[in-house]
Amino acid sequence: MKKEESFVHDHSCIRAVEIYRLCKVEGLDNSALMKKFGISRTTLWRILSTFERENPQIAEQMKRQGKDVTPEDYKRLQNELARLKKELERERLRADFYEEMVAYGEEVYGIRLKKAGTK
């Protein structure tokens, strides 16, 4: 994944978390969310359902907590966020290393390692 693509993906993930939080925790109504983020009702529904499907545990915690966030929940979520950020950075480094090794192999040995049609 290119850095620009990963930024867009990261930004959309952060936006989905924020939309879900505002909807389920803060209780903001759909029309206010659509206006705030400039999205349609269909897009809002897709973001909410995708977030719930891809993050069932986090979604359940956010639904349960409402506005009553305990310090333990907050600390636990902060730790999980930090762990996920480290994991993401490690995967980015791994992907960058792989791309560099492919480029090196092509340059030094003249070996084409990527399949035709891949980025």
Side-chain angles (χ1 to χ4, degrees):
M1 185 182 303
K2 293 181 182 177
K3 288 182 182 177
E4 298 85 25
E5 291 173 356
S6 67
F7 173 76
V8 171
H9 177 72
D10 293 347
H11 180 68
S12 65
C13 289
I14 291 169
R15 184 175 127 171
V17 170
E18 180 65 10
I19 290 172
Y20 195 84
R21 184 188 67 77
L22 288 172
C23 180
K24 302 298 181 181
V25 177
E26 299 296 326
L28 217 58
D29 64 292
N30 291 350
S31 59
L33 287 167
M34 292 185 305
K35 185 175 180 179
K36 177 178 174 80
F37 291 96
I39 56 177
S40 69
R41 184 174 305 279
T42 304
T43 302
L44 176 63
W45 181 83
R46 185 174 27 88
I47 289 170
L48 293 173
S49 61
T50 301
F51 183 84
E52 283 184 349
R53 185 176 60 250
E54 293 179 356
N55 307 289
Q57 293 173 332
I58 296 172
E60 187 60 34
Q61 289 173 349
M62 290 174 96
K63 283 181 188 177
R64 274 190 282 125
Q65 74 186 14
K67 294 183 181 180
D68 302 325
V69 180
T70 65
E72 296 83 28
D73 289 339
Y74 186 72
K75 182 69 173 170
R76 187 174 36 76
L77 289 173
Q78 280 185 320
N79 290 338
E80 183 176 358
L81 180 61
R83 181 188 60 81
L84 291 171
K85 283 181 178 181
K86 287 178 186 177
E87 186 177 320
L88 176 63
E89 184 60 30
R90 186 172 48 249
E91 287 301 314
R92 283 184 181 156
L93 285 172
R94 193 172 75 83
D96 288 345
F97 177 74
Y98 173 77
E99 288 178 11
E100 290 298 320
M101 291 307 296
V102 168
Y104 180 77
E106 289 177 357
E107 180 182 314
V108 174
Y109 300 108
I111 301 171
R112 189 137 171 90
L113 298 173
K114 288 187 177 181
K115 293 181 182 179
T118 61
K119 295 181 179 179

